[in-house]
């Protein structure tokens, strides 16, 4: 267990430098999941520091450490929607801020809202999706199903709870108006992580790619923040094949466990959750082709520095097509053979 005092203790200013992790830490090719647990906590602090947010918003180091430890504690341990996922998502948002120089386009308030939404966006996830909440009439569904995006509303509610815990409110030194605006941004950014919502705003995002970004439009700024959030949420697809392949194993382990549970409850699971009916390579190709790639394409249209990221997603898609051929040539899909994924 990591005690906050020994973290704060050994972060003398000189040590808060990039080198303490890896010289590629702030590059798009860097795989954040490879960082060891203790360093993930320190790296969260470093990312706020490196974007100048600690001094800008007068955040006390003790409060920031306490906040990060509380967020980590807020995550459960399903195969995919856990602390490692949250950290990798926050890391990608940090890469966007740093490599696309978002601080020229977005305010510090919008950037700290994006970074904080990322680390909190899946807090207390149970490893089951929104459809499961509604079908199983879960407690979360009774709370939020009338508004939709059941899980995402819960993740935001949990975020507010953490911020209201004494000694954890990293925004405590903000002016009241800024505080309200930051919480409102975090809410909308976390709500944007519902894939169904992302699909609804896709036409507006395509329009952004075609006609360009008008930063004096509040709607355009919110669209950009939502796109950065989605790009970060799916960022395992932007790394090397090893990461993409491993992520699929974790996601389908979680999806199929939900399906097993639904079967035990007497409900027929969706194909994506049914280990007997799902063909993982095909589902991955569908997801990347119809959801991930179009999103990364918009971001690459808006920022030339992001084209290398878009191209890596394309390479992973090509790899999945090869895997699919191999998978089908071995006869009926048997998902236990995911291990054959080279
Ligand atoms: C690799 C990969 N594959 C994924 C395959 C499928 C889906 C997925 O939710 N599909 C949909 C497809 C339609 C319209 C809605 C509602 C349902 C019907 C189910 C979404 C997500 C996938 N996903 C995510 C991810 C992103 C945000 C939240 C949760 C997750 Cl798991 N992150 N990485 C991946
Ligand atoms: Mg989520
Ligand atoms: Zn997520």
């Amino acid at each position: 267990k990591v005690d906050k005092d020994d973290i704060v203790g050994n972060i003398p200013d000189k040590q808060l430098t990039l080198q303490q992790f890896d010289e590629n830490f702030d590059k798009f090719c860097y795989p954040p999941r490879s960082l060891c647990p203790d360093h993930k906590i320190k790296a969260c602090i470093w990312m706020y520091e490196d974007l100048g947010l600690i001094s800008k918003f007068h955040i006390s180091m003790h409060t920031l450490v306490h906040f990060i430890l509380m967020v980590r504690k807020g995550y459960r341990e399903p195969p995919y929607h856990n602390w490692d996922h949250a950290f990798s998502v926050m890391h990608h948002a940090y890469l966007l801020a740093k490599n696309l120089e978002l601080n020229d386009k977005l305010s510090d308030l919008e950037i700290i809202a994006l970074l904080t939404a990322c680390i909190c966006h899946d807090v207390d996830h149970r490893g089951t999706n929104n459809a499961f909440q509604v079908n199983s009439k879960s407690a979360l569904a009774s709370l939020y199903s009338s508004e939709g995006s059941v899980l995402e509303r819960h993740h935001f509610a949990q975020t507010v709870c953490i911020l209201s815990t004494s000694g954890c409110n990293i925004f405590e030194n903000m002016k009241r108006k800024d505080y309200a605006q930051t919480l409102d941004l975090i809410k909308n950014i976390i709500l944007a992580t519902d894939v169904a919502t992302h699909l609804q705003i896709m036409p507006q995002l395509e329009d952004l790619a075609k006609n360009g970004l008008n930063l004096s439009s509040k709607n355009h700024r919110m669209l950009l923040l939502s796109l950065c959030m989605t790009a970060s949420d799916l960022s395992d697809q932007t790394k090397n094949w090893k990461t993409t392949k491993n992520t699929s194993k974790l996601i389908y382990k979680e999806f199929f466990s939900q399906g097993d549970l639904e079967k035990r409850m007497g409900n027929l699971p969706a194909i994506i959750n049914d280990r007997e009916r799902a063909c993982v390579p095909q589902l991955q190709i569908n997801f990347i082709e119809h959801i991930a790639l179009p999103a990364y394409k918009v971001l690459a249209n808006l920022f030339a520095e992001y084209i290398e990221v878009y191209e890596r997603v394309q390479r992973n898609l090509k790899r999945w097509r090869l895997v699919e051929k191999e998978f089908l040539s071995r006869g009926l899909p048997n998902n236990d053979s995911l291990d054959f994924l080279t």
Side-chain angles (χ1 to χ4, degrees), residues 21-64:
F21 306 115
D22 179 305
E23 78 267 4
N24 287 325
F25 181 77
D26 62 348
K27 303 284 179 303
F28 283 123
C29 59
Y30 184 76
R33 289 173 177 272
S34 56
L35 213 53
C36 72
D38 276 7
H39 279 177
K40 284 192 171 88
I41 297 278
K42 256 205 237 179
C44 290
I45 292 146
W46 163 254
M47 290 187 270
Y48 278 97
E49 165 68 18
D50 194 37
L51 295 176
L53 300 169
I54 292 182
S55 52
K56 169 79 185 179
F57 295 104
H58 312 298
I59 301 173
S60 109
M61 188 51 81
H62 265 90
T63 305
L64 182 55

Side-chain angles (χ1 to χ4, degrees), residues 81 121-122 125 152 155 193 233:
H81 284 105
H121 83 283
D122 273 331
H125 200 292
E152 292 74 19
H155 301 318
T193 60
D233 202 7

Side-chain angles (χ1 to χ4, degrees), residues 234-239 244 288-289 292-294 296-297 306-320:
L234 311 182
S235 57
D236 285 334
Q237 305 309 313
T238 70
K239 307 296 181 184
T244 307
I288 296 174
E289 251 177 16
L293 209 55
Y296 287 111
K297 188 174 171 117
Y306 206 65
I307 291 173
E308 67 162 279
V309 177
Y310 172 68
E311 287 168 347
R312 242 197 306 277
V313 181
Q314 279 183 310
R315 275 206 296 279
N316 284 325
L317 175 57
K318 286 194 180 71
R319 189 66 183 265
W320 275 115

Side-chain angles (χ1 to χ4, degrees), residues 79 127-128 132 251-264 273 275:
T128 51
F132 181 85
I251 285 193
Y252 286 93
K253 190 158 186 275
E254 193 173 301
F255 280 4
F256 294 156
S257 302
Q258 175 183 316
D260 297 346
L261 180 55
E262 286 168 324
K263 285 175 188 169
R264 287 202 299 275
N273 299 104
R275 66 174 77 252

